[in-house]
Amino acid sequence: MKIYTRVGDQGMTKQISGRMVPKTDAQIVALGDLDELESWLGNVVAIMGNTHIAERQELQDIQRKLYDLQADISVKRHQVMVPADTTRLETRIDQLTAEVPVLKAFILPGGTPTGAALQYARTVARRAERSVVRLNQEHPLEPAILTYLNRLSDFLFALARAMNWREGYQEVPSKPTQA
């Protein structure tokens, strides 16, 4: 099987239905943003190396869930995403938040390599969410998809904070402290 097909050489691509659409089509943009998020999560897993085994597995499970989500967007009558997926994220957010000091101010994204990569993943998740919301305005999607994506960026923020905390990184407030 060849990697290139030449189908998209003129700015068009084929949906799973076989319909040709511009590469700027809302569905194609949303799928691309979700693909970028999946890829970035793979980068986070690589940065973690052989540490944080449970969190690596958790992120790989989310990558798999994003594949399911893309199928839900692409394939008629395909529905794998359910409210319980969001509930699992909320449970983890609560666990991670209980592990770190209470936030009293906004913080600068960054920290350890893992924490900073997770903060970036959070922003990629937000972009993917915006693309999916735009698609939903044109072609209504299952609400579980929107809820999951909204909560996913919160989870990535909570995990970034926890990873930084575990590695001894002191978060930096977004506004300088008065001396």
Side-chain angles (χ1 to χ4, degrees):
M1 177 177 164
K2 286 188 174 186
I3 299 281
Y4 60 91
T5 63
R6 297 188 174 116
V7 172
D9 289 354
Q10 302 304 313
M12 301 292 282
T13 193
K14 191 181 294 188
Q15 292 176 315
I16 199 162
S17 65
R19 185 172 150 238
M20 294 297 291
V21 297
K23 290 186 177 189
T24 57
D25 179 85
Q27 183 190 67
I28 303 306
V29 171
L31 293 172
D33 287 347
L34 290 165
D35 184 38
E36 181 182 356
L37 175 57
E38 282 179 70
S39 295
W40 187 258
L41 290 176
N43 187 56
V44 175
V45 169
I47 290 169
M48 289 176 157
N50 292 324
T51 62
H52 311 293
I53 302 301
E55 290 79 8
R56 287 177 63 214
Q57 183 61 54
E58 190 169 30
L59 291 173
Q60 289 172 332
D61 289 344
I62 288 170
Q63 286 178 293
R64 290 181 185 98
K65 185 55 67 178
L66 289 170
Y67 270 114
D68 289 338
L69 193 150
Q70 288 182 71
D72 286 358
I73 288 172
S74 302
V75 181
K76 288 185 182 210
R77 292 178 290 284
H78 185 280
Q79 186 56 51
V80 176
M81 299 298 296
V82 294
D85 296 320
T86 300
T87 302
R88 276 190 290 281
L89 286 179
E90 290 172 341
T91 299
R92 286 294 291 136
I93 292 166
D94 293 342
Q95 292 168 348
L96 293 164
T97 301
E99 182 180 326
V100 298
V102 174
L103 277 179
K104 296 183 178 166
F106 288 106
I107 58 172
L108 295 177
T112 65
T114 298
L118 284 162
Q119 285 284 7
Y120 187 76
R122 170 188 59 80
T123 67
V124 176
R126 283 287 184 213
R127 180 168 7 98
E129 179 188 8
R130 289 189 300 271
S131 296
V132 172
V133 167
R134 187 175 304 116
L135 173 62
N136 183 64
Q137 292 169 342
E138 296 177 18
H139 304 285
L141 301 169
E142 180 63 35
I145 292 171
L146 299 172
T147 306
Y148 182 83
L149 285 174
N150 187 39
R151 212 66 79 246
L152 180 56
S153 59
D154 296 332
F155 165 77
L156 294 168
F157 177 78
L159 185 58
R161 290 194 67 221
M163 299 307 288
N164 280 337
W165 175 255
R166 292 173 192 171
E167 295 179 24
Y169 177 78
Q170 189 73 16
E171 293 171 322
V172 178
S174 62
K175 293 187 180 193
T177 55
Q178 300 297 326

